[in-house]
Amino acid sequence: MTITDETVDYAAALAKLSLTEEEREKAKEDLSRILGYIDTMNELETDGVLPMSHVLSLSNVFREDVVTNGEEREDLLANAPARKEGTFLVPKTVE
């Protein structure tokens, strides 16, 4: 695929960029080099290589959702400036 001025202008418009003529030429060269590298990668032998979604094998690191603070309501409310019926009392913010 050949990178044209129209291709660069289209990509710049999508990115909401305004490019000078020098920047457009530099972007054209950069995109051409990227496509050349992709063509090089397409030449690699990939038979028998399984597709992957990430380079590192990942495992779920989430822990079980277990209640740890139990019945410590009074301890939690000890420093509350104001409280009502076992909850924090805050100023009204919506009329």
Side-chain angles (χ1 to χ4, degrees):
M1 177 179 178
T2 305
I3 301 297
T4 63
D5 287 336
E6 291 78 25
T7 307
V8 174
D9 290 339
Y10 178 71
L14 288 176
K16 298 189 185 301
L17 298 173
S18 63
L19 300 175
T20 65
E21 189 61 37
E22 294 168 0
E23 292 170 330
R24 182 180 298 129
E25 289 303 316
K26 177 75 171 130
K28 206 156 91 170
E29 291 171 18
D30 290 346
L31 289 172
S32 293
R33 268 191 270 130
I34 291 169
L35 289 178
Y37 183 70
I38 291 172
D39 284 340
T40 302
M41 290 180 65
N42 284 335
E43 295 172 6
L44 296 174
E45 182 62 41
T46 57
D47 291 339
V49 177
L50 297 175
M52 60 183 177
S53 61
H54 199 278
V55 234
L56 303 173
S57 59
L58 300 176
S59 61
N60 188 356
V61 295
F62 297 117
R63 61 173 171 75
E64 286 295 318
D65 190 14
V66 179
V67 176
T68 58
N69 60 347
E71 296 296 323
E72 301 169 356
R73 180 178 297 242
E74 287 305 316
D75 292 338
L76 294 172
L77 292 171
N79 292 324
R83 55 187 188 171
K84 179 180 179 183
E85 299 175 5
T87 61
F88 290 94
L89 183 62
V90 296
K92 185 176 181 180
T93 57
V94 178
E95 294 295 323

